PDB file of all heavy atoms in Angstrom:
ATOM      1  N   PRO A  16     -14.258  21.424 -12.778  1.00 28.00           N
ATOM      2  CA  PRO A  16     -14.104  21.391 -11.326  1.00 28.00           C
ATOM      3  C   PRO A  16     -15.444  21.277 -10.638  1.00 28.00           C
ATOM      4  O   PRO A  16     -16.460  21.706 -11.155  1.00 28.00           O
ATOM      5  CB  PRO A  16     -13.452  22.741 -11.010  1.00 28.00           C
ATOM      6  CG  PRO A  16     -13.945  23.633 -12.107  1.00 28.00           C
ATOM      7  CD  PRO A  16     -14.078  22.760 -13.332  1.00 28.00           C
ATOM      8  N   ARG A  17     -15.411  20.692  -9.441  1.00 29.00           N
ATOM      9  CA  ARG A  17     -16.597  20.642  -8.602  1.00 29.00           C
ATOM     10  C   ARG A  17     -16.234  21.233  -7.249  1.00 29.00           C
ATOM     11  O   ARG A  17     -15.130  21.044  -6.767  1.00 29.00           O
ATOM     12  CB  ARG A  17     -17.083  19.208  -8.410  1.00 29.00           C
ATOM     13  CG  ARG A  17     -17.557  18.570  -9.706  1.00 29.00           C
ATOM     14  CD  ARG A  17     -18.230  17.240  -9.409  1.00 29.00           C
ATOM     15  NE  ARG A  17     -18.777  16.679 -10.638  1.00 29.00           N
ATOM     16  CZ  ARG A  17     -19.751  15.791 -10.654  1.00 29.00           C
ATOM     17  NH1 ARG A  17     -20.292  15.372  -9.536  1.00 29.00           N
ATOM     18  NH2 ARG A  17     -20.199  15.309 -11.798  1.00 29.00           N
ATOM     19  N   PHE A  18     -17.168  21.911  -6.658  1.00 24.00           N
ATOM     20  CA  PHE A  18     -16.900  22.577  -5.397  1.00 24.00           C
ATOM     21  C   PHE A  18     -17.891  22.111  -4.335  1.00 24.00           C
ATOM     22  O   PHE A  18     -18.961  21.594  -4.637  1.00 24.00           O
ATOM     23  CB  PHE A  18     -17.004  24.097  -5.558  1.00 24.00           C
ATOM     24  CG  PHE A  18     -16.044  24.642  -6.562  1.00 24.00           C
ATOM     25  CD1 PHE A  18     -16.409  24.786  -7.887  1.00 24.00           C
ATOM     26  CD2 PHE A  18     -14.755  24.967  -6.181  1.00 24.00           C
ATOM     27  CE1 PHE A  18     -15.515  25.263  -8.811  1.00 24.00           C
ATOM     28  CE2 PHE A  18     -13.849  25.456  -7.109  1.00 24.00           C
ATOM     29  CZ  PHE A  18     -14.233  25.608  -8.424  1.00 24.00           C
ATOM     30  N   GLY A  19     -17.498  22.331  -3.077  1.00 27.00           N
ATOM     31  CA  GLY A  19     -18.424  22.065  -1.984  1.00 27.00           C
ATOM     32  C   GLY A  19     -18.662  20.599  -1.727  1.00 27.00           C
ATOM     33  O   GLY A  19     -19.774  20.182  -1.488  1.00 27.00           O
ATOM     34  N   PHE A  20     -17.584  19.773  -1.759  1.00 26.00           N
ATOM     35  CA  PHE A  20     -17.716  18.348  -1.489  1.00 26.00           C
ATOM     36  C   PHE A  20     -18.149  18.144  -0.047  1.00 26.00           C
ATOM     37  O   PHE A  20     -17.416  18.412   0.881  1.00 26.00           O
ATOM     38  CB  PHE A  20     -16.365  17.676  -1.732  1.00 26.00           C
ATOM     39  CG  PHE A  20     -16.322  16.219  -1.448  1.00 26.00           C
ATOM     40  CD1 PHE A  20     -17.391  15.408  -1.772  1.00 26.00           C
ATOM     41  CD2 PHE A  20     -15.191  15.650  -0.883  1.00 26.00           C
ATOM     42  CE1 PHE A  20     -17.339  14.056  -1.533  1.00 26.00           C
ATOM     43  CE2 PHE A  20     -15.144  14.295  -0.635  1.00 26.00           C
ATOM     44  CZ  PHE A  20     -16.203  13.492  -0.969  1.00 26.00           C
ATOM     45  N   ARG A  21     -19.371  17.686   0.161  1.00 29.00           N
ATOM     46  CA  ARG A  21     -19.890  17.498   1.510  1.00 29.00           C
ATOM     47  C   ARG A  21     -20.138  16.028   1.841  1.00 29.00           C
ATOM     48  O   ARG A  21     -20.329  15.674   2.975  1.00 29.00           O
ATOM     49  CB  ARG A  21     -21.205  18.279   1.685  1.00 29.00           C
ATOM     50  CG  ARG A  21     -20.985  19.779   1.704  1.00 29.00           C
ATOM     51  CD  ARG A  21     -20.309  20.212   2.990  1.00 29.00           C
ATOM     52  NE  ARG A  21     -20.130  21.656   3.043  1.00 29.00           N
ATOM     53  CZ  ARG A  21     -19.021  22.268   2.762  1.00 29.00           C
ATOM     54  NH1 ARG A  21     -17.959  21.569   2.410  1.00 29.00           N
ATOM     55  NH2 ARG A  21     -18.930  23.569   2.829  1.00 29.00           N
ATOM     56  N   SER A  22     -20.186  15.171   0.840  1.00 32.00           N
ATOM     57  CA  SER A  22     -20.409  13.759   1.129  1.00 32.00           C
ATOM     58  C   SER A  22     -19.759  12.928   0.039  1.00 32.00           C
ATOM     59  O   SER A  22     -19.468  13.417  -1.052  1.00 32.00           O
ATOM     60  CB  SER A  22     -21.903  13.439   1.181  1.00 32.00           C
ATOM     61  OG  SER A  22     -22.464  13.467  -0.115  1.00 32.00           O
ATOM     62  N   ALA A  23     -19.529  11.661   0.365  1.00 34.00           N
ATOM     63  CA  ALA A  23     -18.853  10.781  -0.576  1.00 34.00           C
ATOM     64  C   ALA A  23     -19.686  10.533  -1.822  1.00 34.00           C
ATOM     65  O   ALA A  23     -19.160  10.106  -2.836  1.00 34.00           O
ATOM     66  CB  ALA A  23     -18.520   9.456   0.094  1.00 34.00           C
ATOM     67  N   ALA A  24     -20.966  10.786  -1.755  1.00 34.00           N
ATOM     68  CA  ALA A  24     -21.811  10.557  -2.924  1.00 34.00           C
ATOM     69  C   ALA A  24     -21.399  11.441  -4.085  1.00 34.00           C
ATOM     70  O   ALA A  24     -21.641  11.129  -5.236  1.00 34.00           O
ATOM     71  CB  ALA A  24     -23.280  10.818  -2.575  1.00 34.00           C
ATOM     72  N   ASN A  25     -20.720  12.559  -3.777  1.00 36.00           N
ATOM     73  CA  ASN A  25     -20.291  13.473  -4.832  1.00 36.00           C
ATOM     74  C   ASN A  25     -18.924  13.121  -5.399  1.00 36.00           C
ATOM     75  O   ASN A  25     -18.449  13.781  -6.304  1.00 36.00           O
ATOM     76  CB  ASN A  25     -20.213  14.904  -4.283  1.00 36.00           C
ATOM     77  CG  ASN A  25     -21.560  15.435  -3.889  1.00 36.00           C
ATOM     78  OD1 ASN A  25     -22.562  15.052  -4.470  1.00 36.00           O
ATOM     79  ND2 ASN A  25     -21.595  16.304  -2.892  1.00 36.00           N
ATOM     80  N   PHE A  26     -18.289  12.101  -4.847  1.00 34.00           N
ATOM     81  CA  PHE A  26     -16.916  11.828  -5.256  1.00 34.00           C
ATOM     82  C   PHE A  26     -16.852  11.379  -6.706  1.00 34.00           C
ATOM     83  O   PHE A  26     -17.553  10.460  -7.113  1.00 34.00           O
ATOM     84  CB  PHE A  26     -16.305  10.737  -4.367  1.00 34.00           C
ATOM     85  CG  PHE A  26     -14.893  10.392  -4.769  1.00 34.00           C
ATOM     86  CD1 PHE A  26     -13.854  11.203  -4.373  1.00 34.00           C
ATOM     87  CD2 PHE A  26     -14.632   9.288  -5.552  1.00 34.00           C
ATOM     88  CE1 PHE A  26     -12.572  10.898  -4.747  1.00 34.00           C
ATOM     89  CE2 PHE A  26     -13.351   8.974  -5.930  1.00 34.00           C
ATOM     90  CZ  PHE A  26     -12.312   9.783  -5.522  1.00 34.00           C
ATOM     91  N   THR A  27     -16.009  12.041  -7.482  1.00 37.00           N
ATOM     92  CA  THR A  27     -15.859  11.635  -8.874  1.00 37.00           C
ATOM     93  C   THR A  27     -14.412  11.462  -9.287  1.00 37.00           C
ATOM     94  O   THR A  27     -14.146  11.044 -10.389  1.00 37.00           O
ATOM     95  CB  THR A  27     -16.471  12.690  -9.822  1.00 37.00           C
ATOM     96  OG1 THR A  27     -15.844  13.945  -9.577  1.00 37.00           O
ATOM     97  CG2 THR A  27     -17.968  12.779  -9.638  1.00 37.00           C
ATOM     98  N   GLY A  28     -13.477  11.793  -8.466  1.00 38.00           N
ATOM     99  CA  GLY A  28     -12.106  11.633  -8.920  1.00 38.00           C
ATOM    100  C   GLY A  28     -11.100  12.232  -7.993  1.00 38.00           C
ATOM    101  O   GLY A  28     -11.106  11.966  -6.809  1.00 38.00           O
ATOM    102  N   LYS A  29     -10.234  13.097  -8.508  1.00 37.00           N
ATOM    103  CA  LYS A  29      -9.089  13.594  -7.763  1.00 37.00           C
ATOM    104  C   LYS A  29      -9.487  14.732  -6.841  1.00 37.00           C
ATOM    105  O   LYS A  29      -9.952  15.768  -7.277  1.00 37.00           O
ATOM    106  CB  LYS A  29      -8.018  14.070  -8.751  1.00 37.00           C
ATOM    107  CG  LYS A  29      -6.771  14.603  -8.057  1.00 37.00           C
ATOM    108  CD  LYS A  29      -5.756  15.104  -9.063  1.00 37.00           C
ATOM    109  CE  LYS A  29      -6.211  16.346  -9.772  1.00 37.00           C
ATOM    110  NZ  LYS A  29      -5.179  16.931 -10.619  1.00 37.00           N
ATOM    111  N   VAL A  30      -9.302  14.554  -5.564  1.00 35.00           N
ATOM    112  CA  VAL A  30      -9.558  15.615  -4.609  1.00 35.00           C
ATOM    113  C   VAL A  30      -8.277  16.411  -4.457  1.00 35.00           C
ATOM    114  O   VAL A  30      -7.254  15.875  -4.060  1.00 35.00           O
ATOM    115  CB  VAL A  30      -9.976  15.032  -3.244  1.00 35.00           C
ATOM    116  CG1 VAL A  30     -10.294  16.139  -2.277  1.00 35.00           C
ATOM    117  CG2 VAL A  30     -11.199  14.153  -3.426  1.00 35.00           C
TER     118      VAL A  30
END
Side-chain angles (χ1 to χ4, degrees):
R17 295 189 176 202
F18 300 92
F20 178 39
R21 290 289 182 261
S22 72
N25 294 330
F26 179 80
T27 57
K29 180 182 69 173
V30 182

